[in-house]
Amino acid sequence: STFFVGLAIMGLLIALGSNGFLYRVLYTVFPPFRVMRAPGRALFFVSFASPVLFGLLLNRLQNQPRWSERVLRGILIFSGMAWFALLVGLGASWSFTQDVDLIGRRWHQLTNVAIVGAALLVGVYLLRWMIQSSVTLEKSKKAAAFSVLLLLLIFDLGWFGRKLISPQPMTPNALWFEAAQILENDGSLDGRILPWGVNIFAQNGAGQVGLTSIFGYNTLENGAVTGLAASVPDPRSKAYDVLGVTHVVSESGLEQFTSGKRGLNLVDQINITRVYVRPTRLPYARLVGHAEAVDSTETLYLRLHDSGFDPAETLLVLNDPACQLSGSATEGRINIVKREARLLRLAVEVDQPAYLVIAETNFPGWYATVDGSPVQIEQAYGAIQAICVPAGQSKIELAFRPMIFAWGGALSALGLIVVWFTWYRRRT
């Protein structure tokens, strides 16, 4: 029981994320932990430990009926009071709020709390009845209580777990089908999409219709990318230039962003879906012959958005550039030989040493080689990748091989060894 209590507490502490201490510690001392996207998912440990602890508690309650009577009576009283207070609070919030969206969410919360609370109280009462029946040897009552508890469990699984029991394919928002049709007609399906004003969950549909979006679950989105993107809340921003955004997709008109030399141009519209092209977009892979170091992310953002700064000519890095550059204009050619989710191969020809800048998230696990020799990947503009290439012709390869796979394989092998050793010891 101590192990499962500790597991549940650990899950709760990790779920606090940056608001707690354990997530910070694990993030620092255990690098594979950094791929954990949402700290709240650590509540899985609580969900795993809770049924085991409940089973142990139930076993003890059955073995000590007098003690169980006091415990279950206390749980009933406390749960009933807490349930009533929660219903009153949610009901008051639902009654007095004026926000239409909030009214719907509060009603959903109110009905779920009402059902969960009723099921909990009925379950505890039936458990108490079943244990009392076992003391008085009333087998019929015990069997009846057990049967109703089983029906309660089936109801709970059906009500709250029906999405898991009968999975349904997620249909993308109509916005993405219409956007894909516009881009296909325009011959621009290979561009990068910026969803503007689109619900965060609807953003996931871009990948399902074959579009590449810089936001949503179909990208390796991290804090550095979102920080760069949000440095200026404007789809004409230079941040989106360096991220390789070619088009903006929106469900509303963006006429306020169509003015000036960086203004968006409407490609087409289907129903309420509008697709705009960005005239200042930069290529996915490009060569830059000049680099500038800045001392902080804040300074980097200010410099990037300075009216006199041109990201097509100058690369911004947070540390001193590792590449020895002449600072003059660079001429060269880039041929993308192979581009997959975790592998990129390029053939580069350049007249002098330069930075190859790739609009791909610089995330731990990416490795680069130039003509077969490992090279360092630098963080350009605080978020994307840049590597130094020599003058002449070079073959570049970037591969995503995170150490989490090696860690997972090693831990799995260790677990199998422990299981085999334990089984062998018991047999001998």
Side-chain angles (χ1 to χ4, degrees):
S1 61
T2 304
F3 169 78
F4 289 103
V5 169
L7 193 65
I9 293 173
M10 182 187 73
L12 287 172
L13 291 176
I14 296 175
L16 291 174
S18 58
N19 296 312
F21 73 93
L22 187 56
Y23 182 84
R24 295 175 182 269
V25 171
L26 290 173
Y27 188 92
T28 303
V29 303
F30 189 57
F33 189 78
R34 298 179 187 182
V35 300
M36 189 170 180
R37 184 182 177 97
R41 292 176 182 169
L43 290 175
F44 164 78
F45 295 117
V46 182
S47 301
F48 176 74
S50 297
V52 178
L53 290 172
F54 179 75
L56 294 172
L57 174 63
L58 181 60
N59 185 59
R60 184 175 179 186
L61 289 173
Q62 288 180 319
N63 293 332
Q64 300 182 28
R66 291 184 179 179
W67 177 78
S68 66
E69 170 63 23
R70 294 194 301 270
V71 170
L72 292 174
R73 185 169 59 244
I75 291 176
L76 267 176
I77 295 172
F78 176 79
S79 300
M81 293 173 62
W83 181 51
F84 180 75
L86 192 57
L87 284 176
V88 170
L90 284 172
S93 175
W94 171 69
S95 301
F96 292 109
T97 186
Q98 301 297 320
D99 188 327
V100 176
D101 291 336
L102 192 59
I103 289 175
R105 288 198 296 271
R106 286 290 181 267
W107 176 252
H108 180 70
Q109 292 169 349
L110 189 63
T111 53
N112 277 340
V113 166
I115 293 169
V116 170
L120 174 65
L121 293 175
V122 171
V124 174
Y125 182 80
L126 289 171
L127 182 62
R128 183 184 175 197
W129 185 30
M130 187 174 70
I131 292 174
Q132 287 177 336
S133 300
S134 65
V135 175
T136 57
L137 299 179
E138 298 179 42
K139 293 183 179 180
S140 59
K141 289 185 178 181
K142 184 178 179 179
F146 179 80
S147 300
V148 178
L149 271 174
L150 186 60
L151 290 174
L152 189 64
L153 176 63
I154 294 172
F155 166 77
D156 179 72
L157 288 173
W159 185 265
F160 295 101
R162 59 183 181 273
K163 293 181 180 179
L164 299 176
I165 295 171
S166 56
Q168 299 287 334
M170 290 184 63
T171 302
N173 192 296
L175 160 84
W176 293 115
F177 291 104
E178 294 165 355
Q181 183 178 340
I182 293 172
L183 290 167
E184 184 178 11
N185 294 338
D186 190 55
S188 304
L189 277 175
D190 58 345
R192 273 193 163 184
I193 308 304
L194 167 64
W196 192 264
V198 179
N199 179 280
I200 187 172
F201 297 106
Q203 290 178 13
N204 302 333
Q208 292 177 266
V209 298
L211 300 179
T212 302
S213 171
I214 66 164
F215 292 131
Y217 284 95
N218 61 313
T219 64
L220 190 58
E221 181 184 339
N222 64 7
V225 171
T226 54
L228 175 62
S231 55
V232 170
D234 189 322
R236 299 168 296 182
S237 163
K238 294 178 187 177
Y240 294 118
D241 292 350
V242 300
L243 288 171
V245 174
T246 59
H247 295 82
V248 181
V249 174
S250 177
E251 292 179 302
S252 59
L254 300 179
E255 286 76 14
Q256 69 273 32
F257 300 122
T258 57
S259 60
K261 65 179 182 180
R262 302 181 62 83
L264 307 179
N265 298 313
L266 181 65
V267 176
D268 202 353
Q269 176 179 349
I270 297 179
N271 296 322
I272 63 170
T273 301
R274 297 170 174 87
V275 176
Y276 297 83
V277 65
R278 301 183 71 256
T280 58
R281 58 192 185 271
L282 292 173
Y284 172 74
R286 57 195 175 90
L287 293 164
V288 180
H290 180 255
E292 183 180 320
V294 292
D295 58 2
S296 67
T297 303
E298 291 73 19
T299 306
L300 187 150
Y301 294 159
L302 290 173
R303 179 62 178 142
L304 174 63
H305 298 295
D306 185 271
S307 58
F309 180 80
D310 185 0
E313 297 180 356
T314 304
L315 174 71
L316 293 178
V317 292
L318 289 173
N319 301 313
D320 291 334
C323 196
Q324 299 298 318
L325 305 175
S326 65
S328 58
T330 299
E331 294 185 4
R333 294 182 301 173
I334 299 174
N335 178 30
I336 298 179
V337 178
K338 189 172 186 177
R339 182 179 172 187
E340 298 177 348
R342 296 190 296 165
L343 180 65
L344 179 64
R345 290 190 180 129
L346 310 99
V348 176
E349 183 178 353
V350 63
D351 62 342
Q352 60 183 326
Y355 270 113
L356 172 64
V357 183
I358 302 167
E360 198 71 64
T361 305
N362 187 25
F363 197 78
W366 278 101
Y367 297 91
T369 60
V370 175
D371 293 328
S373 300
V375 295
Q376 177 186 354
I377 301 178
E378 295 190 56
Q379 188 149 306
Y381 307 102
I384 61 175
Q385 301 175 358
I387 62 174
C388 187
V389 294
Q393 297 181 348
S394 303
K395 293 182 179 179
I396 315 295
E397 181 173 297
L398 290 100
F400 185 61
R401 297 189 298 269
M403 286 299 295
I404 187 65
F405 294 151
W407 278 93
L411 292 174
S412 298
L414 180 61
L416 289 173
I417 292 171
V418 170
V419 169
W420 177 85
F421 183 74
T422 304
W423 171 80
Y424 181 79
R425 285 281 303 271
R426 288 184 175 179
R427 287 200 62 183
T428 56

